[in-house]
Amino acid sequence: MLQAEVEETIKRIQSQKGVQGIIIVNAEGIPIKSTLDNSSTVQYAGNVHQLLMKARGMVRDIDPQNDLTFLRVRSKKNEIMIAPGIEMYTQFLLG
Amino acid sequence: MSSKRPKSKEASKIKGKGHPDYIFPLVLTSATQELFGCQADEDVTGENPYKLLKKEDIIKDMKTRASVSDFSPVKQLVLDYPEDELLLVFDRDFTYGQSFYLVLTVEAKENILKPSVEGDEEQMEHEEKEEEMIVPKTPESHPWISLGSEQEIKEESVTESRPRLRYKISPLQRRCGAPVCFSDRSAQDGKEGFVECPSYQDKSFSIREMEKHTAIQASSDTKNSSTQTLWKHPKNIWTQYEPREFSLEEKEHHLRSKNLKNFITSVLIRFEISLQQNYITDVFCDDWTALCEDEGALTGKTETQLKEYQSFMDLHFSKEKTISHVHWHPTISGVIAVAMTERLSLEERIDNSTKLLLNPSYILFWNFTDPINPQLQLECPDDVLCFQFCPSDPNIIAGGCMNGQIVLWDISAHVERLQDTRSGGKNISNKLDKNETPVVRYCAVSGIENGHKAPITDIQWLPETFELSKLGIPVENASRVSVQLVTCAPDCCVLFWDLRPPRVVSHSLTEVKQKSEEKPLENPHGVPNTFKHLNLTWKPFIRVSLPKLGSSGEYSPLKFSLRDNTVDCPSGDKPLQNAEREEGCGFAQLRVPSAKQQKPMENISTKLYVGTEDGELVYTDWKMEKDNDSGRLLSTKPIHRFLVHDTLVNTVTRSPFFKDIILTVGSFSFAIWKEGVTNGPILMSAFSRTMRTVGHWSLSRPAVFFIGKEDGSIEIWDLLQNTHEPSQSQNISSAAITCIRTSCISSKQHLLAVSDRLGTLHILQIPWTLRRSSNSERQIVRKYFEKEEERLEYFEKRQIKHEKKKKEMEAEEQRKKTELVMPLKQEEELEAEALKEYEQFLALEKDILKNMGLLNETEDSSDM
């Protein structure tokens, strides 16, 4: 049941215009679910995890009561949106 | 001599202590002392040793006691003394050797007296006063006072005390010059054989060294020792890693967890917000770079004029000739081909027909490097009105003649010459050949019976992507070589020709073998055998006639335009062909494939636009239909026909940027059409005073096209600037323009080839403004065309509405008229009707009052 909901939500985002793929990663950076191929998933997961740790650390360092809610990395060709969970999951999709 | 030394020493001793010259020590006897009153320790004491004696007294004393006087040694000195008083000093301490001394000079006297006096005074002052500051004075130079050092020097110097002794020794006289007898004697004979001077230790010279200088150097101990290190040889080591992944079960476990679901639902909103932001504004669009369209028109002069680059006029061949058609060589830049025809009207042609037969016409190839001599001449059977290079093989040229024949040339043998001359003629050996232009004879001509009956006015190659079958259906072209031509002539038909030999149904194998064993005949004039199979037997495989719409008869086409023609538009989407093609693929080897093998292509449009002699533009389909009754192939009726121009249409060209935009040029006006729009032309120009002879789209800018006129000027039309008049007009020559062609040699140089009726070919440079298109120009022009299309539609709609309205108005009028005809009702009837109504009203009133209870009881009671 819950799985179905999750699937549905993922499909909903995936169907939006301009979205190339979605990856769900756990707290350690290990991908759980992805709509891209395996090698790309692994590459993205590894790189994004480090960036996310750094960004979160920075935000927390400046103000310990603050926390990172959303991270957008915009490059020349596309944009990566990263949403960290509360110590649990991170989801990012490529626009 | 040595004895003198001690004496001098003594003397110096004495003198060292001794008195200066002005002091003379005296011994004064007691008698003298009494006489002069200077008794020792009585008159003169140590404290007051000075006594002044009168000179007269001393002289007197000397006189009286003569030599006994104590003063006798100083007699002369006293006499010489200038003053009267001499100083006598009691020398208690015997400083000068005697008890008294006499001061002989005045100055000394003064000095002795004064300092002592001064010294006493000073002493007294010292006792009384405090110590005075002694002011250092710079020493003043005094004359040198001899203190006896001269004597020392004199004594030190060695002088001769006696004259030197001289001895002369000489042997006896008798011994000199006498013969002498020498004898030997051994050195060791006796003791007197030799004189020995042995060394001996002389004790007087033994010197004991008290001090000795030695050098000492300190140095450290050096020690040699060695060690050995372990040498480990390098080894390649690698590690391999792989990313951590979850197994499938774990993944599913995670996916099912509630945490994940919550997380996703919470996070989803953020994603949607950011995605929405991205939709609203295009984040990847850089406004700054998109702002500037023109990359800096930094050229100082805004050149808008076409500059003359070169002009070609052949004196030998182009006398009284005109250029009918111009075509750039598709691959070799700087080479342009020109068709020369006679400049005569029809009557004159007929009159001079015999002369014309002797005067063959040519197609000339010009090269930029040589403006005087053409590079190549192609011989034509008759005047060529139009020609074109084959798009897949630039060595094949097809031309349409005045007599309705198609001519084919193959210039493969001379291509090197064309390319060579581009380099400027570096080979001197070729110069001899250059003076004569090589003449290339045509390879093949079409058969006269089956060809056109009128001069061929337009010829085009079909692109190599497709070919046509017998029915006119475009099918896939397996050989990727352009093999088919389309021609049109005012004899009311459009013909399709195939370059390959027709399919011959071979009845027996022997016949085929015989044919293959026959040796090919050698062609005269060195003509290549490329099209031998076609020569004089060539006939078209499709004949499209143009029956008139709505009336009998046929259209007579002058120019046509196909949709998928890529020859004139190098900027099309099709990729550039490789210049090197397999040489072995000759046209003779190609065979028309059987109809079953061919695959029809869907997206090729089979429709073409044809401009006719009467000024009409006909839109027709070239596919043949099979007529059910007779079984023959017939062409369909044209789809559309537009009568726009008053006189013949001399140009029908498609825009290289938009496949469905066509420019047609008539004599006094031109029009732009869009394929599919049947209402009329999108743009129709105003009528001009001078005739327009030719039109051509620009290859670099979508909105620009060139119109050539009869007075030799070119109009440059820019649709973005003006649509009612040309943006520029420039006069090129004095005769009418016959053909305009553009070529892009490089991005910096775009050339326009303009030929005129006098036979001169002008090459002009297109200025930067006309060749540089802005980024959005294509879109703008497209929008403009769409707008015009809408305008046409709107007009039509309005027209329809207008008509409708008109109809309605008429209908109403009609109705009004019929209404007035109705008959009048009679008066009586009207009155009866009115009465009835009134009675009805009274009854109604009664009822109402009754119901309301307002009716009088008297009426009721009266009834009772």
Side-chain angles (χ1 to χ4, degrees):
Chain A
M1 283 68 67
L2 292 174
Q3 190 174 359
E5 282 189 41
V6 166
E7 292 280 346
E8 199 188 297
T9 321
I10 291 175
K11 266 192 206 138
R12 208 171 99 198
I13 303 184
Q14 178 73 27
S15 64
Q16 304 235 4
K17 187 180 87 168
V19 173
Q20 288 176 11
I22 302 181
I23 304 175
I24 303 183
V25 201
N26 82 333
E28 289 175 325
I30 308 172
I32 296 174
K33 175 124 182 75
S34 164
T35 62
L36 304 170
D37 57 293
N38 200 25
S39 55
S40 310
T41 303
V42 155
Q43 192 174 22
Y44 273 113
N47 286 324
V48 161
H49 183 66
Q50 295 173 29
L51 181 66
L52 188 62
M53 288 298 120
K54 246 333 193 234
R56 198 188 232 158
M58 184 202 88
V59 168
R60 278 242 154 122
D61 187 37
I62 291 170
D63 180 9
Q65 314 219 314
N66 205 355
D67 195 7
L68 183 71
T69 50
F70 205 67
L71 186 65
R72 286 168 95 166
V73 180
R74 193 174 297 163
S75 68
K76 270 189 201 166
K77 296 184 184 171
N78 42 27
E79 183 173 359
I80 303 175
M81 299 175 194
I82 306 159
I86 315 161
E87 314 295 346
M88 261 309 189
Y89 298 102
T90 304
Q91 172 179 352
F92 54 96
L93 62 88
L94 309 128
Chain B
M1 296 297 173
S2 59
S3 59
K4 272 217 171 177
R5 288 256 172 110
K7 232 189 192 177
S8 59
K9 275 183 186 172
E10 284 174 6
S12 62
K13 271 185 190 169
I14 292 166
K15 289 230 175 128
K17 277 188 183 177
H19 53 93
D21 280 349
Y22 52 88
I23 304 284
F24 194 85
L26 275 180
V27 178
L28 293 177
T29 58
S30 52
T32 324
Q33 284 177 17
E34 283 178 358
L35 199 67
F36 285 95
C38 56
Q39 283 182 343
D41 295 333
E42 286 180 30
D43 296 333
V44 287
T45 56
E47 294 173 351
N48 192 18
Y50 304 104
K51 180 83 178 166
L52 287 164
L53 302 174
K54 293 204 172 162
K55 184 179 168 181
E56 297 164 358
D57 292 344
I58 299 171
I59 293 170
K60 200 174 160 189
D61 183 37
M62 281 193 290
K63 278 178 184 171
T64 54
R65 293 197 288 173
S67 59
V68 185
S69 169
D70 295 333
F71 295 103
S72 57
V74 291
K75 179 186 173 183
Q76 188 60 41
L77 293 167
V78 169
L79 286 170
D80 291 334
Y81 195 76
E83 287 191 2
D84 287 340
E85 289 185 345
L86 277 89
L87 179 66
L88 179 74
V89 181
F90 171 60
D91 194 3
R92 193 190 177 86
D93 297 326
F94 287 91
T95 52
Y96 293 116
Q98 305 296 340
S99 56
F100 288 93
Y101 61 90
L102 193 71
V103 178
L104 295 170
T105 57
V106 181
E107 299 159 34
K109 184 180 94 176
E110 301 280 308
N111 286 339
I112 288 166
L113 279 177
K114 275 180 188 171
S116 60
V117 171
E118 287 177 1
D120 291 337
E121 288 180 355
E122 279 178 359
Q123 278 178 2
M124 286 195 321
E125 287 175 3
H126 276 302
E127 287 171 3
E128 292 174 353
K129 295 179 187 175
E130 293 176 1
E131 287 185 356
E132 284 184 11
M133 291 289 289
I134 300 170
V135 178
K137 286 192 225 172
T138 55
E140 292 167 2
S141 60
H142 299 286
W144 181 67
I145 301 168
S146 164
L147 292 169
S149 53
E150 299 154 356
Q151 304 279 348
E152 288 177 14
I153 291 169
K154 264 189 210 167
E155 281 164 11
E156 287 289 323
S157 63
V158 175
T159 50
E160 288 178 5
S161 56
R162 60 169 171 78
R164 290 190 181 176
L165 295 170
R166 280 183 162 202
Y167 293 99
K168 182 176 175 187
I169 301 165
S170 60
L172 286 170
Q173 201 73 29
R174 53 187 164 101
R175 283 264 182 112
C176 293
V180 178
C181 184
F182 287 103
S183 62
D184 289 334
R185 192 187 66 157
S186 169
Q188 291 168 352
D189 288 350
K191 284 192 183 171
E192 293 169 5
F194 58 94
V195 178
E196 212 176 17
C197 287
S199 61
Y200 66 100
Q201 198 165 21
D202 192 355
K203 292 250 165 86
S204 61
F205 289 104
S206 66
I207 302 168
R208 194 166 143 241
E209 282 189 80
M210 304 300 288
E211 280 182 0
K212 192 172 170 184
H213 280 176
T214 42
I216 295 176
Q217 184 171 6
S219 71
S220 55
D221 274 345
T222 59
K223 213 161 113 180
N224 273 342
S225 65
S226 65
T227 61
Q228 179 141 5
T229 56
L230 283 174
W231 175 63
K232 290 186 177 136
H233 61 274
K235 265 193 293 192
N236 280 339
I237 298 182
W238 62 90
T239 58
Q240 186 164 354
Y241 65 93
E242 50 175 47
R244 283 185 296 173
E245 283 181 347
F246 284 137
S247 63
L248 270 173
E249 300 92 32
E250 281 176 326
K251 280 189 191 171
E252 285 189 16
H253 168 72
H254 276 288
L255 282 172
R256 272 190 227 114
S257 69
K258 204 173 179 191
N259 269 340
L260 184 69
K261 177 183 161 269
N262 290 340
F263 162 71
I264 284 187
T265 44
S266 67
V267 148
L268 192 67
I269 303 166
R270 289 178 228 163
F271 278 113
E272 288 185 340
I273 291 172
S274 30
L275 280 172
Q276 203 172 48
Q277 282 173 0
N278 279 358
Y279 301 153
I280 293 170
T281 53
D282 182 13
V283 291
F284 296 107
C285 167
D286 188 0
D287 291 327
W288 178 247
T289 50
L291 188 65
C292 87
E293 291 211 349
D294 299 320
E295 288 165 6
L298 291 171
T299 53
K301 304 176 193 173
T302 48
E303 308 159 1
T304 50
Q305 296 284 325
L306 298 165
K307 274 203 300 194
E308 175 108 5
Y309 182 74
Q310 223 170 5
S311 81
F312 297 101
M313 169 94 179
D314 186 47
L315 304 163
H316 189 52
F317 295 111
S318 41
K319 258 189 187 172
E320 290 170 22
K321 285 210 181 195
T322 172
I323 297 178
S324 59
H325 199 81
V326 169
H327 207 273
W328 290 91
H329 196 286
T331 47
I332 305 174
S333 69
V335 173
I336 188 168
V338 157
M340 318 287 299
T341 58
E342 292 291 333
R343 201 190 323 154
L344 300 167
S345 69
L346 184 62
E347 285 182 9
E348 288 167 356
R349 268 179 199 271
I350 296 171
D351 289 341
N352 298 336
S353 55
T354 45
K355 205 160 74 171
L356 285 175
L357 280 173
L358 298 171
N359 230 2
S361 33
Y362 290 98
I363 291 183
L364 299 173
F365 274 72
W366 291 100
N367 193 314
F368 284 174
T369 53
D370 193 354
I372 302 171
N373 298 321
Q375 301 310 121
L376 209 59
Q377 268 182 44
L378 301 181
E379 198 185 306
C380 329
D382 206 346
D383 283 344
V384 168
L385 288 179
C386 55
F387 67 95
Q388 209 171 57
F389 286 86
C390 173
S392 53
D393 186 0
N395 295 332
I396 311 286
I397 302 158
C401 288
M402 206 79 164
N403 56 5
Q405 280 183 315
I406 297 186
V407 191
L408 286 171
W409 290 275
D410 186 352
I411 56 165
S412 342
H414 303 272
V415 172
E416 295 89 37
R417 198 193 136 85
L418 283 175
Q419 281 170 338
D420 220 16
T421 50
R422 270 201 64 235
S423 58
K426 285 173 191 169
N427 298 331
I428 305 170
S429 57
N430 279 351
K431 266 201 173 169
L432 293 168
D433 294 330
K434 273 190 187 167
N435 291 333
E436 298 175 11
T437 324
V439 178
V440 180
R441 214 177 126 78
Y442 45 89
C443 284
V445 280
S446 66
I448 297 180
E449 316 86 41
N450 294 321
H452 282 291
K453 309 275 191 298
I456 298 179
T457 47
D458 202 357
I459 181 168
Q460 278 180 22
W461 288 81
L462 282 181
E464 63 270 1
T465 47
F466 69 95
E467 57 180 62
L468 295 186
S469 69
K470 264 270 181 192
L471 290 173
I473 299 166
V475 293
E476 206 179 316
N477 186 350
S479 55
R480 295 280 155 196
V481 171
S482 287
V483 290
Q484 292 180 342
L485 294 172
V486 191
T487 60
C488 80
D491 63 348
C492 312
C493 55
V494 175
L495 299 179
F496 287 76
W497 306 74
D498 198 316
L499 287 175
R500 298 167 292 193
R503 271 185 97 233
V504 176
V505 180
S506 57
H507 295 287
S508 63
L509 288 167
T510 50
E511 277 185 22
V512 170
K513 271 192 185 167
Q514 270 181 1
K515 278 188 186 166
S516 59
E517 280 169 4
E518 277 179 17
K519 277 188 185 170
L521 289 171
E522 286 291 324
N523 270 346
H525 304 278
V527 171
N529 288 340
T530 328
F531 297 111
K532 194 177 179 315
H533 53 277
L534 295 171
N535 202 3
L536 295 170
T537 55
W538 200 11
K539 49 183 190 176
F541 67 102
I542 297 178
R543 180 186 290 267
V544 178
S545 62
L546 303 166
K548 282 202 178 169
L549 276 176
S551 58
S552 66
E554 287 175 333
Y555 298 110
S556 48
L558 283 182
K559 297 277 179 190
F560 64 92
S561 157
L562 306 171
R563 189 179 172 104
D564 284 295
N565 196 345
T566 56
V567 178
D568 282 331
C569 342
S571 60
D573 297 328
K574 304 230 166 63
L576 289 169
Q577 299 281 319
N578 289 338
E580 297 121 27
R581 290 213 147 244
E582 297 168 14
E583 293 294 329
C585 167
F587 287 97
Q589 275 81 38
L590 294 173
R591 291 276 175 262
V592 177
S594 68
K596 294 173 199 168
Q597 290 169 0
Q598 289 170 332
K599 216 173 28 168
M601 296 181 81
E602 306 274 317
N603 50 359
I604 308 281
S605 158
T606 57
K607 305 187 175 42
L608 69 156
Y609 275 96
V610 177
T612 65
E613 250 182 336
D614 300 322
E616 297 155 325
L617 183 69
V618 178
Y619 185 50
T620 180
D621 195 336
W622 73 59
K623 276 196 284 211
M624 309 289 281
E625 281 178 350
K626 216 159 184 181
D627 192 14
N628 289 329
D629 296 335
S630 55
R632 278 187 306 154
L633 295 168
L634 285 182
S635 52
T636 55
K637 284 239 169 183
I639 303 167
H640 296 292
R641 163 237 178 218
F642 309 97
L643 177 60
V644 163
H645 303 291
D646 299 322
T647 54
L648 51 86
V649 174
N650 54 43
T651 311
V652 177
T653 54
R654 280 192 196 245
S655 165
F657 293 92
F658 307 105
K659 289 284 169 211
D660 50 359
I661 302 290
I662 296 142
L663 169 74
T664 59
V665 179
S667 290
F668 292 103
S669 61
F670 68 86
I672 296 182
W673 309 79
K674 185 162 175 172
E675 197 165 343
V677 171
T678 54
N679 303 332
I682 293 179
L683 178 73
M684 176 95 181
S685 81
F687 289 93
S688 72
R689 290 223 187 93
T690 46
M691 271 174 60
R692 298 191 161 113
T693 49
V694 73
H696 188 74
W697 288 94
S698 156
L699 285 177
S700 48
R701 286 191 61 188
V704 171
F705 54 90
F706 305 96
I707 303 271
K709 298 182 88 167
E710 200 193 16
D711 58 354
S713 62
I714 288 191
E715 286 179 347
I716 301 168
W717 287 75
D718 188 348
L719 288 176
L720 296 177
Q721 284 185 358
N722 276 332
T723 52
H724 64 281
E725 61 174 16
S727 63
Q728 261 176 54
S729 185
Q730 192 173 346
N731 194 297
I732 307 292
S733 83
S734 51
I737 309 275
T738 52
C739 193
I740 299 179
R741 281 274 181 270
T742 49
S743 134
C744 313
I745 291 185
S746 66
S747 63
K748 294 234 173 106
Q749 197 184 37
H750 286 205
L751 297 175
L752 191 69
V754 176
S755 61
D756 66 5
R757 222 169 147 262
L758 288 175
T760 315
L761 177 69
H762 304 267
I763 310 282
L764 305 161
Q765 256 184 333
I766 301 180
W768 189 84
T769 48
L770 286 177
R771 66 168 185 258
R772 173 77 175 82
S773 73
S774 55
N775 295 339
S776 53
E777 190 172 329
R778 204 165 164 165
Q779 286 174 14
I780 295 173
V781 174
R782 191 193 295 276
K783 278 193 188 145
Y784 168 73
F785 287 138
E786 282 169 12
K787 201 175 67 173
E788 291 296 314
E789 202 185 319
E790 280 170 20
R791 171 186 68 90
L792 281 173
E793 283 178 19
Y794 173 74
F795 268 31
E796 224 185 82
K797 278 186 195 159
R798 285 294 298 178
Q799 199 87 358
I800 294 170
K801 262 193 197 168
H802 193 72
E803 284 190 18
K804 240 195 202 169
K805 236 184 174 177
K806 215 177 172 181
K807 272 190 197 158
E808 279 175 11
M809 277 180 66
E810 281 178 13
E812 255 204 53
E813 276 185 30
Q814 282 280 352
R815 250 187 291 136
K816 277 187 190 163
K817 281 185 194 162
T818 49
E819 274 183 9
L820 291 167
V821 174
M822 269 172 51
L824 290 166
K825 283 188 182 166
Q826 291 185 4
E827 270 192 43
E828 292 171 355
E829 285 179 18
L830 284 169
E831 272 190 26
E833 274 182 20
L835 203 64
K836 254 191 223 169
E837 277 185 39
Y838 184 59
E839 279 174 14
Q840 276 176 7
F841 166 69
L842 283 175
L844 184 65
E845 194 186 13
K846 250 191 195 170
D847 279 329
I848 290 171
L849 286 173
K850 227 187 198 175
N851 288 334
M852 288 172 67
L854 293 172
L855 210 59
N856 281 337
E857 288 184 358
T858 52
E859 283 194 37
D860 284 337
S861 60
S862 66
D863 281 345
M864 281 166 62

